[in-house]
Amino acid sequence: MDADAAPVVVGRYALFDRIAVGGMASVHLARQLGPIGFSRVVAVKRLHSQYVHDDAFVEMFVDEARLASRLRHPSVVSVTDVIETGEELLLVMDYVHGVPVSSLREAIARGAIPLPVVSSIVVDVLDGLQAAHDACDEAGQPLRIVHRDISPHNVLVGVDGIARIIDFGIAKATDRVQTTRDGQIKGKIRYMAPEQLSGDEVDARSDVYSAAVMLWELLSGRALVSQDDMGAMVRRVLFESLPRPRHPTERLSAELVAVTMRGLERAPDDRYATAAEMARALREAVEPAPREEVGAWLGEAASGTLEEHRSLLRRVELAPLPDSDTSGLSGALRRVVDRQLRAEEVTEVEALAEAASADHVSEDTATRLGATEILVGAAEPPATSTRPDERRRRFALVVVAAAVGGALAFFAAPAERETSATSFAHALDRLADDLEPAATPISAPAPTAAPEASATVSASTAPPPPSPRWASPPRPVTPPRPSPASCNPPYTYVDGVKRFKTHCL
């Protein structure tokens, strides 16, 4: 794809540069498009256009997606989506920033791969194969997946130090829709097990053989069998003894050689029974290098290729994309999102206030944007810093205290009634102080008797304070009987503290 060419948009994916190509499909860097400017880089396997209407190729492609989607392992590249538009068939995978083992030919030929790094790569491959061999369907029945194409081309080593298996396109499984015709050989002959070459039944031990061929070549720095004469290659695998691995610069331990040669046994019963068994033996022969050491080695050995990939990534991530769909958002939220997509600076206060100004914004939407508090209370901020649940609790205490005090005063004897009323007045006064902000105490002179005509407005006729939004509507209250002049007002101040007159209660 031309560096200046616009991406090809298929469904919710924008396809950019082609990074690999095969006989059946090509692999592209792509960006997944989502709402509110969401996007991420993925790898997309794109079936060649001439095969989109070929049932056999489509079934093989879909089978690969079904099998790979059942695998969840760090050493297997995950398949996350399948897109079909009638003219396009895409298989979406996680993007791995790394290189295939096949691109490390020069380092392999020089024997420049440290033995612990070789052990780490092959152990990861064996662990991924074991995950595939153990995979089950939705009902818990074994799928008996056999990859059948393990080779340096289908193993990616990431900068995170993990080797991952890719391409289950020709894998064999019990419930695979697309089946191989009798006697038809699929895969790379150099890495095929003898039973696979002869057209016999294959199982997990066939993948073990292929992994052992990879191990032999990484250790020896050359191909196990020559590709010049295919007939000679097949005869050597089927009938001749294979040589022991020999490192270009180092002496290999007897344990490491034994692990390699057992994996290459011609009879499946003579090999390791499982990939996990071979992985354990290889770990004991050569301790795998830590992930960070593998990643550091790869950064030096494949620096040029990785830099090219980084340049492609930067171009893909910075390329302009079609506008995101904001039709499902409210008008205010859409304006905020559009401003963000235009890279304008939107402060948090502006975004939340604008979201809160829309009456039709749902509380769930506002919560996701962090605007719940403004949406609920922007028009009527609380008078004090007391939380609603705390105010509710204190209000309930006042109501309970008033009811208990009134009952005690009614049923008590006259002498006790005055004491109870005094205690009740003090408690009510403390609760009232808790409910309202504290005021600065003011010392007031003792009130004197005044004519009733000049009496000030009583507290009972003063306008009530605003009720909280959560309080119930006030009930009608019967006006109290007129108080004597000495009870107007019915309280006094003692040392700056308001005290109710007991004889006025």
Side-chain angles (χ1 to χ4, degrees):
M1 181 180 292
D2 189 343
D4 298 326
V8 176
V9 178
V10 181
R12 55 182 177 275
Y13 298 95
L15 276 60
F16 290 84
D17 302 78
R18 187 175 64 187
I19 56 178
V21 62
M24 175 179 169
S26 56
V27 179
H28 298 255
L29 279 179
R31 278 175 69 181
Q32 179 181 348
L33 311 178
I36 318 183
F38 169 82
S39 71
R40 71 184 183 106
V41 176
V42 294
V44 171
K45 189 172 184 178
R46 185 184 191 186
L47 187 65
H48 291 324
S49 58
Q50 63 266 31
Y51 300 135
V52 171
H53 301 291
D54 188 314
D55 291 346
F57 283 95
V58 171
E59 287 175 357
M60 185 184 299
F61 205 72
V62 172
D63 278 346
E64 178 180 357
R66 291 177 56 251
L67 295 181
S69 66
R70 300 299 303 171
L71 304 179
R72 289 291 181 268
H73 191 276
S75 293
V76 177
V77 174
S78 298
V79 173
T80 60
D81 200 0
V82 175
I83 300 295
E84 191 275 329
T85 64
E87 298 300 325
E88 294 278 4
L89 187 56
L90 309 180
L91 191 154
V92 184
M93 304 171 289
D94 288 335
Y95 171 72
V96 177
H97 187 48
V99 298
V101 175
S102 58
S103 68
L104 302 173
R105 292 189 185 94
E106 293 184 6
I108 295 172
R110 298 195 314 269
I113 305 182
L115 294 182
V117 173
V118 172
S119 176
S120 177
I121 292 173
V122 178
V123 164
D124 282 347
V125 171
L126 292 167
D127 288 343
L129 285 174
Q130 190 63 50
H133 299 159
D134 292 341
C136 297
D137 62 14
E138 295 82 353
Q141 298 300 315
L143 288 172
R144 295 184 176 87
I145 298 174
V146 183
H147 189 283
R148 299 198 300 178
D149 198 17
I150 291 298
S151 68
H153 301 79
N154 290 331
V155 175
L156 288 176
V157 183
V159 294
D160 56 1
I162 302 175
R164 297 172 174 85
I165 300 171
I166 62 171
D167 198 354
F168 282 79
I170 65 170
K172 176 182 179 296
T174 54
D175 67 343
R176 188 179 178 95
V177 176
Q178 201 277 337
T179 57
T180 304
R181 296 187 183 96
D182 293 339
Q184 184 176 359
I185 297 175
K186 289 190 174 184
K188 299 176 181 66
I189 294 180
R190 276 177 55 190
Y191 301 93
M192 285 185 185
E195 63 272 18
Q196 190 173 352
L197 279 173
S198 59
D200 295 335
E201 185 69 21
V202 298
D203 58 21
R205 294 169 297 181
S206 304
D207 285 342
V208 169
Y209 181 94
S210 301
V213 175
M214 268 193 62
L215 176 59
W216 193 98
E217 294 185 347
L218 290 174
L219 294 176
S220 303
R222 60 190 177 90
L224 176 60
V225 292
S226 174
Q227 299 183 88
D228 296 337
D229 186 344
M230 186 173 295
M233 182 190 313
V234 173
R235 284 195 303 272
R236 185 171 190 181
V237 173
L238 293 178
F239 306 110
E240 298 179 9
S241 298
L242 298 177
R244 293 174 176 270
R246 181 173 296 177
H247 197 274
T249 60
E250 297 186 42
R251 185 176 184 276
L252 303 179
S253 66
E255 293 80 8
L256 180 57
V257 172
V259 170
T260 307
M261 298 310 295
R262 183 178 173 184
L264 292 173
E265 289 287 351
R266 183 171 291 111
D269 291 340
D270 294 336
R271 300 176 205 144
Y272 291 101
T274 64
E277 185 181 356
M278 182 175 175
R280 284 194 297 270
L282 183 55
R283 286 190 181 96
E284 293 174 359
V286 180
E287 183 178 356
R291 302 291 191 204
E292 57 272 15
E293 185 176 323
V294 177
W297 175 85
L298 183 71
E300 295 180 1
S303 58
T305 303
L306 291 174
E307 182 56 38
E308 291 178 4
H309 289 184
R310 277 190 287 268
S311 298
L312 291 176
L313 279 175
R314 283 193 293 269
R315 192 177 75 80
V316 169
E317 291 176 336
L318 295 176
L321 296 176
D323 294 336
S324 298
D325 181 16
T326 60
S327 60
L329 300 176
S330 68
L333 295 183
R334 189 186 303 114
R335 290 194 299 273
V336 173
V337 170
D338 290 343
R339 288 163 60 188
Q340 289 176 337
L341 293 179
R342 293 195 306 269
E344 294 183 8
E345 182 179 359
V346 182
T347 65
E348 182 179 0
V349 174
E350 291 174 333
L352 297 182
E354 192 163 6
S357 67
D359 295 336
H360 55 283
V361 179
S362 68
E363 185 169 348
D364 178 65
T365 302
T367 301
R368 292 197 303 270
L369 295 176
T372 306
E373 291 300 326
I374 293 183
L375 181 63
V376 173
E380 187 180 353
T384 66
S385 61
T386 308
R387 294 177 299 177
D389 56 344
E390 186 68 16
R391 294 198 301 269
R392 200 176 292 117
R393 184 179 65 82
R394 293 181 179 180
F395 181 77
L397 288 176
V398 171
V399 174
V400 172
V404 172
L408 290 175
F410 181 80
F411 291 105
E416 297 173 350
R417 188 177 303 168
E418 182 174 354
T419 303
S420 300
T422 303
S423 301
F424 168 67
H426 291 172
L428 191 62
D429 187 39
R430 285 195 299 271
L431 289 172
D433 290 340
D434 284 342
L435 276 174
E436 297 198 7
T440 304
I442 300 177
S443 299
T448 57
E452 294 186 7
S454 62
T456 59
V457 179
S458 65
S460 62
T461 62
S467 300
R469 286 174 294 172
W470 41 261
S472 302
R475 297 180 179 179
V477 180
T478 304
R481 290 176 296 177
S483 302
S486 61
C487 292
N488 189 12
Y491 56 84
T492 184
Y493 286 91
V494 179
D495 296 330
V497 178
K498 186 198 310 182
R499 303 295 184 190
F500 283 91
K501 301 176 183 178
T502 57
H503 64 277
C504 297
L505 297 174

